[in-house]
Amino acid sequence: MSVRGASGMRPRHGPQSGGEGFRLLLVRIAPLGDVLVTTPAIRCVRAALPAARIEFLTGEGGAELLEGNVHLDEILLWRPGLRAELALARELRRRRYDAVVDFECAWPTARLVLATGARLRIGSHRPGPRRFCYNRRVRRPRPPASIARERLELLRPLGIEPEAMPDLSLELAIRPEDHAWAERVIRDLALGGDAPIVAVSPVSRLPYKQWGADRWAAVADRLAGAGAQVLLTNGPGEREQVAAVVGHMRHRAAWDYGPSSLRQLAALYRRCVLWVGNDGGAMHLAVAAGTPTIGVFRWATRARWSHPEPRGRHAGIDRAPPQGCDQQCTRCVHLGCLRAVSVEEVVETALSKLAAIRSGVAASESTNRHDLPV
């Protein structure tokens, strides 16, 4: 992987070859799925700058996901609140970074990037005053690329060429104790034998990503009727959404396994041959665990948020709303694009993937599974 500017010379204020003595801060606070999607960029930076000191600023959930990432020298914790932000800003200033890459570019992160005083402050080209917090602004690629590829584009001002990074697999270190917890859950829920286990994640904290409890119940019933063992999963605060799905189902579904950490949930996904669910953090967690996925997306978001994988292990389904929609998804009230996705096409896609997995066409193992050593 090369490290150079567009002209072939080292960019001004950029790292020397290998990055020796270069201090770099990467920033992504929330949401959790986005932290996982930055892991290809983290790997890319380390490959290009093996001697640099690379630190990552994130929230508590992001810190859990990045723990054990072999490409980072340190993980810094962001906490909400003015007093905590001021203390963090002083600490970041004291560390004297050469460059900062902001993968979020929201006001909280933009303020902190400016406070570092770094010579090179990189962010996306966004409207509004926050753009002045960065002295290198990168425009989104056209046509839109996957979000993982878009994150790599932010590394160009460092002299790093993303084209030299074809591997976009997500990384997550799963500990032996997480695997042991998942094994206990599988045993306690009486899941096992030759029948494949399919994880169904019918939850989302965002209403505009929720396909509907009745639809997910119909999908789960069809998969159970086809011989799969269905495992309904959820994160903190999402148990009632799963209970609503169970209330609509005719077949048995395993689901009430108690609280879990993010990496425990990833270890549970590792034991499933397929993941099906709403677009969101759980989908990225399943991708990082190496499990094939099928996500239901809002219209025109699949290309950016589904995981690009040349072997076709990950699929996304989206449909245009019948009457059209001129609202942003966060303001949309009719959710016409989600309603346009039928139960039948989700089931057919899942059954097709299960058949491919059983025949060995799409193996359930993946190169993006990274475990901490025992």
Side-chain angles (χ1 to χ4, degrees), residues 166-243:
D167 178 16
L168 296 180
S169 60
L170 309 186
E171 292 192 31
L172 176 66
I174 305 176
R175 301 166 298 187
E177 54 264 40
D178 301 320
H179 289 299
W181 176 89
E183 288 293 346
R184 287 195 299 271
V185 169
I186 294 296
R187 182 179 63 250
D188 293 346
L189 295 178
L191 296 170
D194 296 331
I197 304 174
V198 177
V200 177
S201 178
V203 299
S204 176
R205 297 185 182 183
L206 302 174
Y208 56 86
K209 289 187 176 183
Q210 295 174 7
W211 190 43
D214 56 338
R215 291 181 173 88
W216 283 122
V219 169
D221 274 332
R222 291 282 298 278
L223 294 176
Q229 300 178 89
V230 176
L231 171 63
L232 296 173
T233 68
N234 62 276
E238 298 169 337
R239 186 178 184 279
E240 290 185 1
Q241 294 183 53
V242 176

Side-chain angles (χ1 to χ4, degrees), residues 59-309:
E60 290 187 2
E64 179 188 350
L65 293 173
L66 293 177
E67 182 184 346
N69 190 299
V70 297
H71 310 298
L72 295 174
D73 293 295
E74 188 176 356
I75 300 170
L76 306 180
L77 189 60
W78 172 90
R79 289 187 174 91
L82 179 58
R83 182 175 298 181
E85 182 175 326
L86 290 174
L88 178 59
R90 287 193 295 268
E91 174 61 20
L92 296 179
R93 186 84 174 191
R94 184 190 67 79
R95 292 186 177 229
R96 300 175 63 85
Y97 296 105
D98 295 292
V100 182
V101 180
D102 187 354
F103 293 114
E104 193 157 346
C105 300
W107 263 118
T109 59
R111 293 194 299 264
L112 290 170
V113 168
L114 183 62
T116 65
R119 293 174 296 170
L120 190 59
R121 304 185 303 277
I122 304 168
S124 297
H125 189 87
R126 301 281 181 89
R130 61 183 163 174
R131 70 180 186 273
F132 297 112
C133 295
Y134 313 101
N135 55 17
R136 294 293 187 278
R137 296 185 290 274
V138 179
R139 292 185 180 274
R140 288 179 175 176
R142 291 288 183 269
S146 72
I147 198 70
R149 179 62 65 185
E150 185 177 297
R151 296 289 182 263
L152 289 174
E153 289 294 322
L154 286 168
L155 305 180
R156 285 193 185 277
L158 293 173
I160 298 174
E161 298 177 347
E163 293 83 0
M165 181 67 181
D167 178 16
L168 296 180
S169 60
L170 309 186
E171 292 192 31
L172 176 66
I174 305 176
R175 301 166 298 187
E177 54 264 40
D178 301 320
H179 289 299
W181 176 89
E183 288 293 346
R184 287 195 299 271
V185 169
I186 294 296
R187 182 179 63 250
D188 293 346
L189 295 178
L191 296 170
D194 296 331
I197 304 174
V198 177
V200 177
S201 178
V203 299
S204 176
R205 297 185 182 183
L206 302 174
Y208 56 86
K209 289 187 176 183
Q210 295 174 7
W211 190 43
D214 56 338
R215 291 181 173 88
W216 283 122
V219 169
D221 274 332
R222 291 282 298 278
L223 294 176
Q229 300 178 89
V230 176
L231 171 63
L232 296 173
T233 68
N234 62 276
E238 298 169 337
R239 186 178 184 279
E240 290 185 1
Q241 294 183 53
V242 176
V245 174
V246 173
H248 283 88
M249 288 183 62
R250 301 187 309 275
H251 288 81
R252 171 191 178 271
W255 69 287
D256 199 1
Y257 49 81
S260 63
S261 69
L262 295 170
R263 287 198 283 194
Q264 285 174 335
L265 188 56
L268 199 56
Y269 289 153
R270 177 76 67 88
R271 282 145 183 83
C272 302
V273 301
L274 180 65
W275 180 99
V276 188
N278 293 321
D279 166 33
M283 180 186 68
H284 300 302
L285 202 61
V287 171
T291 303
T293 64
I294 301 172
V296 174
F297 291 83
R298 295 156 290 152
W299 174 240
T301 63
R302 176 175 57 87
R304 290 191 71 217
W305 289 103
S306 61
H307 188 70
E309 210 276 340

